[in-house]
Amino acid sequence: MGPQFIPADSNDEQDRLLNELFMPPFRKGYVRVGPNKVLLPLYYLDYAGRIEDMEVRDSDVWIVSHPKAGTTWTQEMAWVINQDFDFEGAKVPLPERFPFLDHTPLFDYTDILPNLPELQLPLFVSDSVTYINEMKSPRYIKTHLPWELLPKQIREGTKKPKIIYVARNAKDTCVSYYHHCKILEGYSGSFDNYCKLFLGGSLCFAPFWPHVLNFWKRRDEPNILFLKYEDLKKDLPAVIRKTAAFLGKDLNEEQVDLLAEHLSFARMKSNPAVNYEAAIEINRRFNLTTADGHFMRSGQVGNYKEVMGPELIAEFDRWTQENLAKSELTF
Ligand code: PPS
């Protein structure tokens, strides 16, 4: 059985904006799930019970994050380290070797597929939960689900996979998520309305701060590593060393440099295995979303300054201070 939920279809401003501006062909509605009222597509309910009860393995490596926090960057880093620098294997598309557990619940193609026979979906898209259940060990699993919606075996500690959580400051996350939702998830509204939804906890996997803080408070558990996008930007070799130590791998300085080069923004932007250009192209080809843009977009800290005015910045900063006041977390 999955967690409790309520439909996000009320008459309040948040639900109205969401249902007016964020209803692409592959969404049929939204629900708010569990005590934190995590927003998810209605289709998630078809998978909630299977995710809750899935068999976790101690040998799994999980990357957990709020969307756009640096997930892909962290995935590639963890995969290369844990696979002992198998750069040949790293040519396999990331979603295949490091699948996204909650991919299928985000995209309900059930009414679309009969009309688009040419749209052939691989199993990691059409049923990401089954794909992951059938993977050989060690499995690599990406998820944006917050702590309270992770499989029961993780929450109850009966299985202890290695979990890397990556967080990013709210303003850059919001801007990055806005572009992502336009090019990959069919958001059709303005940036201002998007920010209202972000601050109001009405985008998939929101609310933002409980997502981050629920891992921050577990950061000292031996099977959890808490990283920040800003630290990857500031000193990537240091984060590579820290991640290798967490995964139990010894790296020499030559390997650290080699991996830092492989993980540079320019290299990742031109690497078809990790840049999601193929996924964007499918959306365009089948008219599932219409906006232009790239997944590897700015790769900067502070990019929000180019799109947010002073009032909006002040609002985000107030909201951040309020939420972080009782923690030692800073961005
Ligand atoms: S997703 O869809 O949630 O998995 O997206 P996620 O991977 O978390 O976040 C994508 C943003 O991370 C940036 N990115 C990088 N920045 C710097 N260096 C490297 N190597 C790198 N790889 C990915 C990517 O550009 C997105 O951020 P924005 O701000 O949109 O550019």
Side-chain angles (χ1 to χ4, degrees), residues 77-94:
M77 171 174 69
W79 192 92
V80 171
I81 295 172
N82 211 53
Q83 288 295 118
D84 299 316
F85 285 67
D86 177 9
F87 284 115
E88 202 44 46
K91 289 182 182 158
V92 172
L94 190 66

Side-chain angles (χ1 to χ4, degrees), residues 7-268:
D9 59 1
S10 74
N11 230 341
D12 74 16
E13 193 197 18
Q14 294 277 312
D15 282 5
R16 274 192 296 106
L17 284 177
L18 182 67
N19 287 291
E20 268 169 42
L21 304 175
F22 216 151
M23 206 52 80
F26 42 77
R27 290 274 156 84
K28 296 200 183 108
Y30 292 92
V31 285
R32 295 182 198 275
V33 184
N36 284 332
K37 300 195 168 47
V38 177
L39 191 94
L40 285 161
L42 189 61
Y43 196 37
Y44 161 78
L45 297 179
D46 287 19
Y47 287 82
R50 291 175 62 203
I51 292 174
E52 167 79 2
D53 294 331
M54 77 182 261
E55 286 292 327
V56 175
R57 303 178 198 161
D58 287 323
S59 58
D60 290 343
V61 176
W62 289 60
I63 304 292
V64 187
S65 61
H66 183 280
K68 312 319 284 181
T71 325
T72 312
W73 202 5
T74 309
Q75 283 176 274
E76 186 67 354
M77 171 174 69
W79 192 92
V80 171
I81 295 172
N82 211 53
Q83 288 295 118
D84 299 316
F85 285 67
D86 177 9
F87 284 115
E88 202 44 46
K91 289 182 182 158
V92 172
L94 190 66
E96 217 173 304
R97 58 189 155 89
F98 208 137
F100 177 23
L101 178 64
D102 18 330
H103 192 140
T104 307
L106 278 184
F107 301 96
D108 182 353
Y109 292 111
T110 46
D111 290 347
I112 297 174
L113 286 173
N115 300 320
L116 288 179
E118 324 88 279
L119 180 59
Q120 298 288 327
L121 301 175
L123 188 61
F124 59 83
V125 174
S126 64
D127 186 348
S128 45
V129 178
T130 298
Y131 182 83
I132 287 171
N133 285 340
E134 292 175 353
M135 277 172 91
K136 284 202 217 105
S137 297
R139 297 186 303 186
Y140 297 88
I141 301 169
K142 156 186 166 176
T143 181
H144 292 315
L145 291 171
W147 171 264
E148 68 270 25
L149 300 184
L150 292 182
K152 187 164 60 197
Q153 291 182 339
I154 294 184
R155 293 192 330 269
E156 293 182 351
T158 53
K159 289 286 162 59
K160 299 262 184 203
K162 294 231 162 55
I163 301 178
I164 305 178
Y165 186 87
V166 60
R168 186 180 191 183
N169 77 80
K171 288 170 289 190
D172 285 332
T173 302
C174 176
V175 174
S176 181
Y177 202 11
Y178 165 67
H179 288 283
H180 174 101
C181 287
K182 283 197 339 186
I183 56 175
L184 279 158
E185 293 195 32
Y187 174 71
S188 59
S190 66
F191 178 63
D192 277 356
N193 279 330
Y194 192 87
C195 289
K196 277 191 197 160
L197 292 170
F198 190 94
L199 292 163
S202 299
L203 293 166
C204 285
F205 307 104
F208 180 77
W209 288 116
H211 201 298
V212 175
L213 290 169
N214 267 327
F215 274 89
W216 174 246
K217 74 179 182 208
R218 294 181 168 87
R219 67 192 179 282
D220 293 330
E221 292 184 16
N223 67 321
I224 294 182
L225 177 67
F226 189 98
L227 299 179
K228 291 197 287 189
Y229 179 95
E230 291 74 10
D231 292 337
L232 273 86
K233 284 296 293 185
K234 197 162 61 190
D235 190 348
L236 185 55
V239 179
I240 291 173
R241 283 186 214 103
K242 192 173 173 179
T243 305
F246 174 71
L247 294 172
K249 301 281 181 183
D250 264 338
L251 303 187
N252 59 40
E253 279 312 292
E254 206 179 306
Q255 287 175 306
V256 172
D257 290 347
L258 192 65
L259 183 52
E261 176 55 29
H262 176 76
L263 295 173
S264 70
F265 185 67
R267 284 280 290 274
M268 286 198 46

